[in-house]
Amino acid sequence: MASSIVAPVDYGGEAPWSESSGRTTLNHLLSLRSPSATTSGHLVVDVDPTTTVDDAVGSISYYPAVHFVLAFHDLTYSVKRSKRSLHRSRHVLETDAAPERRTRTRTRTLLDGISGEARDGEILAVLGASGAGKSTLIDALADRIHRDSLRGSVTLNAEPLDGRLLKVISAYVMQDDLLYPMLTVSETLMYSAEFRLPRALSRAKKRARVEALVDQLGLRAAAHTIIGDEGRRGVSGGERRRVSIGIDIIHDPIILFLDEPTSGLDSTSAFMVVKVLQRIAQSGSVVVMSIHQPSYRILGLLDRLLFLSRGRTVYYGPPGALPLFFSEFGHPILEGENPAEFALDTIRELEGTTPDGTQKLVEFSKAWQENHSLSRAVSTPSSGGPLSLTDAIGLSIARGKLVSGGTSSTSAPSKTKVSTYANPWWAEVWVLTRRSFTNTRRTPELFLMRLGTVVVTAFILATVFWRLDNTPKGVNERFGFFAIGMATMFYTSADALPVFLIERYIYLRETAHNAYRRSSYTLSNAVVAFPPLLLLSLAFTSITFFAVGLAGGAEGFVFFALIVLASFWAGSGFVTFLSGVVPHVIIGYTVVVAVLAYFLLFSGFFVTRDRIPGYWIWFHYLSLIKYPYQAVMQNEFGADPGKCFMRGVQMFDGTPMGELPEDTKVNVLNAMSRSMRVDFNSSSCITTGPDILARQAVTDLGKWACLWVTLAWGFLFRLFFYLTLLLGSRNKRS
């Protein structure tokens, strides 16, 4: 443990937060919320070197004290917006013609030279009205804006901060609570621990970390309550927010960013959330948060404030210096009034009533900061010279920081390794799969509804196409059964569409800081999707195969079940891929229905392959329904090449001659035999299974080849889904 000396702090006989005291100095205000200040009125001073005792070997390791300072200087960020406007030239006015449309490119500055710093043990709060640039500044510090678009510098302990390293040592808590509704609080935190903590830690230690975090977040009473959603009652709003914070601090990050963590909460819940953040900061983390309008109690928990107005700094300093700042500016804060609310109201008033907005306040703030020397140098150990950033992170891990992907080296803490991902890919797949199965198991109604749809469809098809015979009419009815049956596999797979659309933002949040690989998510998604498909295919096959009277016996049944499973697999892969491309459920369903209709049209059922126009033949080979339809056709009509499906006078069925008496049809058949000099009669076989396959033009691929192609489509679409995740899930602004 770090050695320290606790000494009383002399405030000159007056509480430094007393706004009525005329003797309160800025130095007192700055020292009040120093990184090592405690609520008991004592100042904790680190003593170098820090010592830790290795009980196993009885040795003492000397570690210098480690502090972190996140500094940012002159951050500037602008976006371009195009605006079309009407422009009338002189020629246009003279001829009274239509006005010319011209596109104007306007640049809007979201951040304009923002500077400041945040230290471990402190909370830096960014305040301002809506549109002031709070979230943009948080994104800039968290490396969620492309460096090419952002001017200025962000450093940690005076060293440039690499984006890859920042992802490992930091956490970003979004404004929205993105959680799995059917997981309990403890389960949610435990899964996060398994993602973010290195595999070298035992499950017992991870569980201990979760239990400690549950207590730290004040969630013990709700530990075994599900998160819940609109349809299921779960934890309260404040508890949800604390869980959202918990999953991002499970790995004890060195830097914690939060985008309006108190938004939508009542005053008590908001205070509890910020109180949790204070404890996190005091444990040795840098906490940077945006907040809209803090209450008086919350203001007392904050260490530094950064007020923004239209992307510019209008105040930077401790909360206690606000009365002095505005008094010198000429707008004194009345006694008993919330300084933060007064500041925000003053800024809004200046923005709305003064022609130059807050320009005077911005200029006054710059001069005021220079006069009072608010900037402080980065603390370094008194012996041994300044630590490099890599050494500081290594020493933090050696002293107990868990840091995602960090492996501690007690003999040489400075050589501690920090990996991009905390766990190997197979461990990520295992955790993702377990979490998905847990969430799915608690919503059985979703699978039961899908199973019910397949069973009802199979029952209807079985009764409509009951015991088809081997006549030409039975052959045509088989065509209809196969086409409708195979199309059903793909249409019922549309339920996979909302799965990723619901999880999209959870996935973006978790991968933003390398909780797991995109490939692991893709593989887990496929693993979780497969078992339900197996049950659905067995249900459909068992109901329809024998009821319809399909050929092939046991072998035919097995193949029919396999091709149905392959169809479900391909359909699920196709819909999953679309869910990664189309961001909206309604649009997604529209696209799925339309594309599957095209696949059915070009499958070879309505128009055979040799009758499809050459300029559309490519769509025939892209049709997902073509291959399972062709496979079941060959399984039915190719199983027994000698089986007859048309004998003698059956050739007249479906024609005007089919209405003639049987004797007449026999006489016509005999006349045709004599005329054509071919010996056939009413019992002669005219059409066999291979003849039907040739007539339907489904002979280009064998049934097993069609099965493998259908399976390959499923894998290919999941590869496409992975590429959409790789290319389309951007976590940075351009």
Side-chain angles (χ1 to χ4, degrees), residues 615-644:
Y615 47 83
W616 282 119
I617 194 65
W618 59 272
F619 212 134
H620 171 71
Y621 290 102
L622 289 179
S623 172
L624 297 183
I625 301 179
K626 160 191 163 61
Y627 300 98
Y629 173 71
Q630 186 167 322
V632 293
M633 287 281 287
Q634 292 186 359
N635 188 54
E636 179 68 16
F637 299 110
D640 184 3
K643 188 175 182 179
C644 186

PDB file of all heavy atoms in Angstrom, residues 615-644:
ATOM      1  N   TYR A 615     -30.574 -11.436 -69.665  1.00  0.00           N
ATOM      2  CA  TYR A 615     -30.144 -10.311 -68.835  1.00  0.00           C
ATOM      3  C   TYR A 615     -30.585 -10.451 -67.381  1.00  0.00           C
ATOM      4  O   TYR A 615     -30.232  -9.629 -66.536  1.00  0.00           O
ATOM      5  CB  TYR A 615     -30.657  -8.986 -69.412  1.00  0.00           C
ATOM      6  CG  TYR A 615     -32.123  -8.981 -69.800  1.00  0.00           C
ATOM      7  CD1 TYR A 615     -33.121  -8.759 -68.862  1.00  0.00           C
ATOM      8  CD2 TYR A 615     -32.496  -9.210 -71.128  1.00  0.00           C
ATOM      9  CE1 TYR A 615     -34.448  -8.770 -69.224  1.00  0.00           C
ATOM     10  CE2 TYR A 615     -33.829  -9.209 -71.507  1.00  0.00           C
ATOM     11  CZ  TYR A 615     -34.808  -8.980 -70.548  1.00  0.00           C
ATOM     12  OH  TYR A 615     -36.121  -8.979 -70.920  1.00  0.00           O
ATOM     13  N   TRP A 616     -31.399 -11.479 -67.052  1.00  0.00           N
ATOM     14  CA  TRP A 616     -31.800 -11.735 -65.669  1.00  0.00           C
ATOM     15  C   TRP A 616     -31.246 -13.052 -65.132  1.00  0.00           C
ATOM     16  O   TRP A 616     -31.455 -13.378 -63.963  1.00  0.00           O
ATOM     17  CB  TRP A 616     -33.331 -11.782 -65.539  1.00  0.00           C
ATOM     18  CG  TRP A 616     -33.996 -10.442 -65.532  1.00  0.00           C
ATOM     19  CD1 TRP A 616     -34.904  -9.973 -66.426  1.00  0.00           C
ATOM     20  CD2 TRP A 616     -33.814  -9.398 -64.572  1.00  0.00           C
ATOM     21  NE1 TRP A 616     -35.310  -8.707 -66.102  1.00  0.00           N
ATOM     22  CE2 TRP A 616     -34.649  -8.329 -64.949  1.00  0.00           C
ATOM     23  CE3 TRP A 616     -33.021  -9.257 -63.433  1.00  0.00           C
ATOM     24  CZ2 TRP A 616     -34.716  -7.145 -64.243  1.00  0.00           C
ATOM     25  CZ3 TRP A 616     -33.086  -8.073 -62.722  1.00  0.00           C
ATOM     26  CH2 TRP A 616     -33.923  -7.034 -63.126  1.00  0.00           C
ATOM     27  N   ILE A 617     -30.505 -13.797 -65.936  1.00  0.00           N
ATOM     28  CA  ILE A 617     -30.072 -15.124 -65.512  1.00  0.00           C
ATOM     29  C   ILE A 617     -29.137 -15.057 -64.299  1.00  0.00           C
ATOM     30  O   ILE A 617     -29.084 -15.979 -63.472  1.00  0.00           O
ATOM     31  CB  ILE A 617     -29.398 -15.876 -66.685  1.00  0.00           C
ATOM     32  CG1 ILE A 617     -29.271 -17.367 -66.349  1.00  0.00           C
ATOM     33  CG2 ILE A 617     -28.048 -15.271 -67.000  1.00  0.00           C
ATOM     34  CD1 ILE A 617     -30.590 -18.081 -66.218  1.00  0.00           C
ATOM     35  N   TRP A 618     -28.408 -13.925 -64.193  1.00  0.00           N
ATOM     36  CA  TRP A 618     -27.513 -13.772 -63.038  1.00  0.00           C
ATOM     37  C   TRP A 618     -28.284 -13.781 -61.720  1.00  0.00           C
ATOM     38  O   TRP A 618     -27.796 -14.273 -60.710  1.00  0.00           O
ATOM     39  CB  TRP A 618     -26.714 -12.476 -63.162  1.00  0.00           C
ATOM     40  CG  TRP A 618     -27.580 -11.241 -63.232  1.00  0.00           C
ATOM     41  CD1 TRP A 618     -28.106 -10.690 -64.356  1.00  0.00           C
ATOM     42  CD2 TRP A 618     -28.025 -10.436 -62.134  1.00  0.00           C
ATOM     43  NE1 TRP A 618     -28.861  -9.574 -64.039  1.00  0.00           N
ATOM     44  CE2 TRP A 618     -28.822  -9.399 -62.680  1.00  0.00           C
ATOM     45  CE3 TRP A 618     -27.829 -10.486 -60.755  1.00  0.00           C
ATOM     46  CZ2 TRP A 618     -29.417  -8.429 -61.895  1.00  0.00           C
ATOM     47  CZ3 TRP A 618     -28.418  -9.515 -59.969  1.00  0.00           C
ATOM     48  CH2 TRP A 618     -29.212  -8.495 -60.536  1.00  0.00           C
ATOM     49  N   PHE A 619     -29.511 -13.233 -61.748  1.00  0.00           N
ATOM     50  CA  PHE A 619     -30.328 -13.206 -60.538  1.00  0.00           C
ATOM     51  C   PHE A 619     -30.786 -14.623 -60.179  1.00  0.00           C
ATOM     52  O   PHE A 619     -30.978 -14.944 -58.996  1.00  0.00           O
ATOM     53  CB  PHE A 619     -31.543 -12.297 -60.745  1.00  0.00           C
ATOM     54  CG  PHE A 619     -31.998 -11.603 -59.490  1.00  0.00           C
ATOM     55  CD1 PHE A 619     -32.299 -10.253 -59.485  1.00  0.00           C
ATOM     56  CD2 PHE A 619     -32.129 -12.302 -58.285  1.00  0.00           C
ATOM     57  CE1 PHE A 619     -32.726  -9.614 -58.327  1.00  0.00           C
ATOM     58  CE2 PHE A 619     -32.558 -11.675 -57.136  1.00  0.00           C
ATOM     59  CZ  PHE A 619     -32.852 -10.326 -57.151  1.00  0.00           C
ATOM     60  N   HIS A 620     -30.953 -15.474 -61.191  1.00  0.00           N
ATOM     61  CA  HIS A 620     -31.338 -16.856 -60.925  1.00  0.00           C
ATOM     62  C   HIS A 620     -30.277 -17.557 -60.082  1.00  0.00           C
ATOM     63  O   HIS A 620     -30.601 -18.291 -59.136  1.00  0.00           O
ATOM     64  CB  HIS A 620     -31.537 -17.588 -62.258  1.00  0.00           C
ATOM     65  CG  HIS A 620     -31.725 -19.066 -62.113  1.00  0.00           C
ATOM     66  ND1 HIS A 620     -32.854 -19.631 -61.590  1.00  0.00           N
ATOM     67  CD2 HIS A 620     -30.890 -20.111 -62.416  1.00  0.00           C
ATOM     68  CE1 HIS A 620     -32.739 -20.950 -61.581  1.00  0.00           C
ATOM     69  NE2 HIS A 620     -31.551 -21.266 -62.080  1.00  0.00           N
ATOM     70  N   TYR A 621     -29.003 -17.307 -60.414  1.00  0.00           N
ATOM     71  CA  TYR A 621     -27.932 -17.975 -59.672  1.00  0.00           C
ATOM     72  C   TYR A 621     -27.660 -17.322 -58.317  1.00  0.00           C
ATOM     73  O   TYR A 621     -27.042 -17.935 -57.444  1.00  0.00           O
ATOM     74  CB  TYR A 621     -26.661 -18.004 -60.508  1.00  0.00           C
ATOM     75  CG  TYR A 621     -26.772 -18.945 -61.683  1.00  0.00           C
ATOM     76  CD1 TYR A 621     -27.007 -18.462 -62.973  1.00  0.00           C
ATOM     77  CD2 TYR A 621     -26.679 -20.321 -61.511  1.00  0.00           C
ATOM     78  CE1 TYR A 621     -27.138 -19.331 -64.054  1.00  0.00           C
ATOM     79  CE2 TYR A 621     -26.810 -21.195 -62.581  1.00  0.00           C
ATOM     80  CZ  TYR A 621     -27.039 -20.693 -63.849  1.00  0.00           C
ATOM     81  OH  TYR A 621     -27.179 -21.559 -64.914  1.00  0.00           O
ATOM     82  N   LEU A 622     -28.120 -16.077 -58.146  1.00  0.00           N
ATOM     83  CA  LEU A 622     -28.002 -15.429 -56.846  1.00  0.00           C
ATOM     84  C   LEU A 622     -29.176 -15.744 -55.933  1.00  0.00           C
ATOM     85  O   LEU A 622     -29.117 -15.461 -54.736  1.00  0.00           O
ATOM     86  CB  LEU A 622     -27.909 -13.906 -57.021  1.00  0.00           C
ATOM     87  CG  LEU A 622     -26.620 -13.350 -57.617  1.00  0.00           C
ATOM     88  CD1 LEU A 622     -26.712 -11.837 -57.734  1.00  0.00           C
ATOM     89  CD2 LEU A 622     -25.403 -13.750 -56.786  1.00  0.00           C
ATOM     90  N   SER A 623     -30.228 -16.317 -56.491  1.00  0.00           N
ATOM     91  CA  SER A 623     -31.423 -16.605 -55.704  1.00  0.00           C
ATOM     92  C   SER A 623     -31.128 -17.653 -54.638  1.00  0.00           C
ATOM     93  O   SER A 623     -30.665 -18.763 -54.934  1.00  0.00           O
ATOM     94  CB  SER A 623     -32.547 -17.104 -56.613  1.00  0.00           C
ATOM     95  OG  SER A 623     -33.642 -17.558 -55.858  1.00  0.00           O
ATOM     96  N   LEU A 624     -31.388 -17.295 -53.381  1.00  0.00           N
ATOM     97  CA  LEU A 624     -31.161 -18.243 -52.293  1.00  0.00           C
ATOM     98  C   LEU A 624     -32.154 -19.396 -52.334  1.00  0.00           C
ATOM     99  O   LEU A 624     -31.863 -20.496 -51.857  1.00  0.00           O
ATOM    100  CB  LEU A 624     -31.289 -17.520 -50.942  1.00  0.00           C
ATOM    101  CG  LEU A 624     -30.276 -16.406 -50.641  1.00  0.00           C
ATOM    102  CD1 LEU A 624     -30.506 -15.859 -49.244  1.00  0.00           C
ATOM    103  CD2 LEU A 624     -28.854 -16.902 -50.784  1.00  0.00           C
ATOM    104  N   ILE A 625     -33.336 -19.172 -52.918  1.00  0.00           N
ATOM    105  CA  ILE A 625     -34.365 -20.212 -52.941  1.00  0.00           C
ATOM    106  C   ILE A 625     -34.110 -21.222 -54.052  1.00  0.00           C
ATOM    107  O   ILE A 625     -34.576 -22.370 -53.977  1.00  0.00           O
ATOM    108  CB  ILE A 625     -35.754 -19.561 -53.094  1.00  0.00           C
ATOM    109  CG1 ILE A 625     -35.999 -18.591 -51.928  1.00  0.00           C
ATOM    110  CG2 ILE A 625     -36.862 -20.603 -53.134  1.00  0.00           C
ATOM    111  CD1 ILE A 625     -37.325 -17.866 -51.992  1.00  0.00           C
ATOM    112  N   LYS A 626     -33.347 -20.836 -55.069  1.00  0.00           N
ATOM    113  CA  LYS A 626     -33.068 -21.742 -56.190  1.00  0.00           C
ATOM    114  C   LYS A 626     -32.462 -23.059 -55.713  1.00  0.00           C
ATOM    115  O   LYS A 626     -32.898 -24.149 -56.120  1.00  0.00           O
ATOM    116  CB  LYS A 626     -32.106 -21.073 -57.179  1.00  0.00           C
ATOM    117  CG  LYS A 626     -31.381 -22.067 -58.106  1.00  0.00           C
ATOM    118  CD  LYS A 626     -30.261 -21.394 -58.875  1.00  0.00           C
ATOM    119  CE  LYS A 626     -29.299 -22.413 -59.458  1.00  0.00           C
ATOM    120  NZ  LYS A 626     -29.891 -23.352 -60.410  1.00  0.00           N
ATOM    121  N   TYR A 627     -31.464 -22.970 -54.846  1.00  0.00           N
ATOM    122  CA  TYR A 627     -30.688 -24.159 -54.495  1.00  0.00           C
ATOM    123  C   TYR A 627     -31.467 -25.137 -53.611  1.00  0.00           C
ATOM    124  O   TYR A 627     -31.472 -26.349 -53.894  1.00  0.00           O
ATOM    125  CB  TYR A 627     -29.363 -23.729 -53.868  1.00  0.00           C
ATOM    126  CG  TYR A 627     -28.560 -22.880 -54.817  1.00  0.00           C
ATOM    127  CD1 TYR A 627     -28.575 -21.492 -54.726  1.00  0.00           C
ATOM    128  CD2 TYR A 627     -27.822 -23.454 -55.851  1.00  0.00           C
ATOM    129  CE1 TYR A 627     -27.854 -20.706 -55.615  1.00  0.00           C
ATOM    130  CE2 TYR A 627     -27.105 -22.675 -56.752  1.00  0.00           C
ATOM    131  CZ  TYR A 627     -27.133 -21.299 -56.626  1.00  0.00           C
ATOM    132  OH  TYR A 627     -26.441 -20.528 -57.527  1.00  0.00           O
ATOM    133  N   PRO A 628     -32.150 -24.693 -52.550  1.00  0.00           N
ATOM    134  CA  PRO A 628     -32.964 -25.667 -51.798  1.00  0.00           C
ATOM    135  C   PRO A 628     -34.144 -26.197 -52.614  1.00  0.00           C
ATOM    136  O   PRO A 628     -34.507 -27.372 -52.494  1.00  0.00           O
ATOM    137  CB  PRO A 628     -33.438 -24.874 -50.579  1.00  0.00           C
ATOM    138  CG  PRO A 628     -33.248 -23.448 -50.923  1.00  0.00           C
ATOM    139  CD  PRO A 628     -32.086 -23.392 -51.863  1.00  0.00           C
ATOM    140  N   TYR A 629     -34.736 -25.361 -53.478  1.00  0.00           N
ATOM    141  CA  TYR A 629     -35.842 -25.823 -54.327  1.00  0.00           C
ATOM    142  C   TYR A 629     -35.355 -26.906 -55.286  1.00  0.00           C
ATOM    143  O   TYR A 629     -35.980 -27.961 -55.448  1.00  0.00           O
ATOM    144  CB  TYR A 629     -36.415 -24.644 -55.111  1.00  0.00           C
ATOM    145  CG  TYR A 629     -37.447 -25.035 -56.146  1.00  0.00           C
ATOM    146  CD1 TYR A 629     -38.712 -25.485 -55.765  1.00  0.00           C
ATOM    147  CD2 TYR A 629     -37.153 -24.969 -57.510  1.00  0.00           C
ATOM    148  CE1 TYR A 629     -39.657 -25.851 -56.723  1.00  0.00           C
ATOM    149  CE2 TYR A 629     -38.091 -25.331 -58.464  1.00  0.00           C
ATOM    150  CZ  TYR A 629     -39.338 -25.768 -58.062  1.00  0.00           C
ATOM    151  OH  TYR A 629     -40.272 -26.133 -59.004  1.00  0.00           O
ATOM    152  N   GLN A 630     -34.214 -26.694 -55.879  1.00  0.00           N
ATOM    153  CA  GLN A 630     -33.657 -27.680 -56.798  1.00  0.00           C
ATOM    154  C   GLN A 630     -33.251 -28.944 -56.054  1.00  0.00           C
ATOM    155  O   GLN A 630     -33.410 -30.066 -56.568  1.00  0.00           O
ATOM    156  CB  GLN A 630     -32.450 -27.077 -57.525  1.00  0.00           C
ATOM    157  CG  GLN A 630     -31.867 -27.954 -58.608  1.00  0.00           C
ATOM    158  CD  GLN A 630     -30.891 -27.191 -59.494  1.00  0.00           C
ATOM    159  OE1 GLN A 630     -31.107 -26.027 -59.795  1.00  0.00           O
ATOM    160  NE2 GLN A 630     -29.816 -27.859 -59.905  1.00  0.00           N
ATOM    161  N   ALA A 631     -32.759 -28.799 -54.834  1.00  0.00           N
ATOM    162  CA  ALA A 631     -32.326 -29.959 -54.052  1.00  0.00           C
ATOM    163  C   ALA A 631     -33.504 -30.863 -53.700  1.00  0.00           C
ATOM    164  O   ALA A 631     -33.424 -32.094 -53.839  1.00  0.00           O
ATOM    165  CB  ALA A 631     -31.618 -29.485 -52.784  1.00  0.00           C
ATOM    166  N   VAL A 632     -34.623 -30.273 -53.235  1.00  0.00           N
ATOM    167  CA  VAL A 632     -35.765 -31.110 -52.860  1.00  0.00           C
ATOM    168  C   VAL A 632     -36.436 -31.708 -54.100  1.00  0.00           C
ATOM    169  O   VAL A 632     -37.001 -32.814 -54.041  1.00  0.00           O
ATOM    170  CB  VAL A 632     -36.790 -30.303 -52.031  1.00  0.00           C
ATOM    171  CG1 VAL A 632     -36.202 -29.936 -50.679  1.00  0.00           C
ATOM    172  CG2 VAL A 632     -37.271 -29.063 -52.774  1.00  0.00           C
ATOM    173  N   MET A 633     -36.361 -31.018 -55.230  1.00  0.00           N
ATOM    174  CA  MET A 633     -36.894 -31.576 -56.478  1.00  0.00           C
ATOM    175  C   MET A 633     -36.117 -32.835 -56.854  1.00  0.00           C
ATOM    176  O   MET A 633     -36.698 -33.875 -57.213  1.00  0.00           O
ATOM    177  CB  MET A 633     -36.808 -30.536 -57.594  1.00  0.00           C
ATOM    178  CG  MET A 633     -37.809 -29.399 -57.484  1.00  0.00           C
ATOM    179  SD  MET A 633     -39.447 -29.864 -58.062  1.00  0.00           S
ATOM    180  CE  MET A 633     -39.164 -29.918 -59.834  1.00  0.00           C
ATOM    181  N   GLN A 634     -34.800 -32.758 -56.741  1.00  0.00           N
ATOM    182  CA  GLN A 634     -33.984 -33.922 -57.091  1.00  0.00           C
ATOM    183  C   GLN A 634     -34.115 -35.024 -56.040  1.00  0.00           C
ATOM    184  O   GLN A 634     -34.044 -36.208 -56.377  1.00  0.00           O
ATOM    185  CB  GLN A 634     -32.524 -33.493 -57.241  1.00  0.00           C
ATOM    186  CG  GLN A 634     -32.291 -32.586 -58.442  1.00  0.00           C
ATOM    187  CD  GLN A 634     -30.823 -32.292 -58.663  1.00  0.00           C
ATOM    188  OE1 GLN A 634     -29.973 -32.754 -57.903  1.00  0.00           O
ATOM    189  NE2 GLN A 634     -30.528 -31.537 -59.699  1.00  0.00           N
ATOM    190  N   ASN A 635     -34.296 -34.636 -54.784  1.00  0.00           N
ATOM    191  CA  ASN A 635     -34.509 -35.635 -53.745  1.00  0.00           C
ATOM    192  C   ASN A 635     -35.815 -36.397 -53.976  1.00  0.00           C
ATOM    193  O   ASN A 635     -35.924 -37.583 -53.650  1.00  0.00           O
ATOM    194  CB  ASN A 635     -34.531 -34.958 -52.372  1.00  0.00           C
ATOM    195  CG  ASN A 635     -34.547 -35.946 -51.229  1.00  0.00           C
ATOM    196  OD1 ASN A 635     -33.690 -36.828 -51.136  1.00  0.00           O
ATOM    197  ND2 ASN A 635     -35.541 -35.827 -50.359  1.00  0.00           N
ATOM    198  N   GLU A 636     -36.811 -35.735 -54.548  1.00  0.00           N
ATOM    199  CA  GLU A 636     -38.111 -36.347 -54.783  1.00  0.00           C
ATOM    200  C   GLU A 636     -38.152 -37.143 -56.085  1.00  0.00           C
ATOM    201  O   GLU A 636     -38.588 -38.295 -56.114  1.00  0.00           O
ATOM    202  CB  GLU A 636     -39.197 -35.262 -54.800  1.00  0.00           C
ATOM    203  CG  GLU A 636     -40.604 -35.774 -55.072  1.00  0.00           C
ATOM    204  CD  GLU A 636     -41.148 -36.620 -53.936  1.00  0.00           C
ATOM    205  OE1 GLU A 636     -40.577 -36.570 -52.817  1.00  0.00           O
ATOM    206  OE2 GLU A 636     -42.142 -37.343 -54.153  1.00  0.00           O
ATOM    207  N   PHE A 637     -37.690 -36.528 -57.176  1.00  0.00           N
ATOM    208  CA  PHE A 637     -37.858 -37.149 -58.497  1.00  0.00           C
ATOM    209  C   PHE A 637     -36.616 -37.892 -58.974  1.00  0.00           C
ATOM    210  O   PHE A 637     -36.666 -38.574 -59.999  1.00  0.00           O
ATOM    211  CB  PHE A 637     -38.253 -36.088 -59.532  1.00  0.00           C
ATOM    212  CG  PHE A 637     -39.551 -35.407 -59.225  1.00  0.00           C
ATOM    213  CD1 PHE A 637     -39.590 -34.074 -58.828  1.00  0.00           C
ATOM    214  CD2 PHE A 637     -40.742 -36.105 -59.323  1.00  0.00           C
ATOM    215  CE1 PHE A 637     -40.787 -33.449 -58.541  1.00  0.00           C
ATOM    216  CE2 PHE A 637     -41.951 -35.486 -59.041  1.00  0.00           C
ATOM    217  CZ  PHE A 637     -41.975 -34.161 -58.644  1.00  0.00           C
ATOM    218  N   GLY A 638     -35.517 -37.765 -58.232  1.00  0.00           N
ATOM    219  CA  GLY A 638     -34.311 -38.469 -58.636  1.00  0.00           C
ATOM    220  C   GLY A 638     -33.968 -39.640 -57.743  1.00  0.00           C
ATOM    221  O   GLY A 638     -32.997 -40.362 -57.997  1.00  0.00           O
ATOM    222  N   ALA A 639     -34.766 -39.840 -56.692  1.00  0.00           N
ATOM    223  CA  ALA A 639     -34.473 -40.928 -55.755  1.00  0.00           C
ATOM    224  C   ALA A 639     -34.615 -42.294 -56.419  1.00  0.00           C
ATOM    225  O   ALA A 639     -33.812 -43.204 -56.192  1.00  0.00           O
ATOM    226  CB  ALA A 639     -35.400 -40.823 -54.540  1.00  0.00           C
ATOM    227  N   ASP A 640     -35.640 -42.451 -57.242  1.00  0.00           N
ATOM    228  CA  ASP A 640     -35.887 -43.708 -57.951  1.00  0.00           C
ATOM    229  C   ASP A 640     -36.077 -43.387 -59.427  1.00  0.00           C
ATOM    230  O   ASP A 640     -37.169 -43.010 -59.859  1.00  0.00           O
ATOM    231  CB  ASP A 640     -37.123 -44.402 -57.394  1.00  0.00           C
ATOM    232  CG  ASP A 640     -37.370 -45.764 -58.043  1.00  0.00           C
ATOM    233  OD1 ASP A 640     -36.543 -46.183 -58.883  1.00  0.00           O
ATOM    234  OD2 ASP A 640     -38.390 -46.390 -57.702  1.00  0.00           O
ATOM    235  N   PRO A 641     -35.015 -43.489 -60.258  1.00  0.00           N
ATOM    236  CA  PRO A 641     -35.120 -43.104 -61.674  1.00  0.00           C
ATOM    237  C   PRO A 641     -36.193 -43.872 -62.437  1.00  0.00           C
ATOM    238  O   PRO A 641     -36.718 -43.376 -63.439  1.00  0.00           O
ATOM    239  CB  PRO A 641     -33.724 -43.402 -62.224  1.00  0.00           C
ATOM    240  CG  PRO A 641     -32.825 -43.397 -61.035  1.00  0.00           C
ATOM    241  CD  PRO A 641     -33.652 -43.934 -59.907  1.00  0.00           C
ATOM    242  N   GLY A 642     -36.546 -45.076 -61.992  1.00  0.00           N
ATOM    243  CA  GLY A 642     -37.535 -45.867 -62.715  1.00  0.00           C
ATOM    244  C   GLY A 642     -38.966 -45.595 -62.304  1.00  0.00           C
ATOM    245  O   GLY A 642     -39.906 -46.157 -62.892  1.00  0.00           O
ATOM    246  N   LYS A 643     -39.161 -44.770 -61.305  1.00  0.00           N
ATOM    247  CA  LYS A 643     -40.515 -44.481 -60.834  1.00  0.00           C
ATOM    248  C   LYS A 643     -41.273 -43.659 -61.868  1.00  0.00           C
ATOM    249  O   LYS A 643     -40.749 -42.683 -62.394  1.00  0.00           O
ATOM    250  CB  LYS A 643     -40.451 -43.731 -59.504  1.00  0.00           C
ATOM    251  CG  LYS A 643     -41.802 -43.552 -58.835  1.00  0.00           C
ATOM    252  CD  LYS A 643     -41.629 -42.903 -57.468  1.00  0.00           C
ATOM    253  CE  LYS A 643     -42.955 -42.754 -56.759  1.00  0.00           C
ATOM    254  NZ  LYS A 643     -42.800 -42.151 -55.423  1.00  0.00           N
ATOM    255  N   CYS A 644     -42.502 -44.090 -62.142  1.00  0.00           N
ATOM    256  CA  CYS A 644     -43.285 -43.461 -63.206  1.00  0.00           C
ATOM    257  C   CYS A 644     -44.279 -42.461 -62.628  1.00  0.00           C
ATOM    258  O   CYS A 644     -44.929 -42.734 -61.606  1.00  0.00           O
ATOM    259  CB  CYS A 644     -44.037 -44.522 -64.014  1.00  0.00           C
ATOM    260  SG  CYS A 644     -44.881 -43.839 -65.456  1.00  0.00           S
TER     261      CYS A 644
END
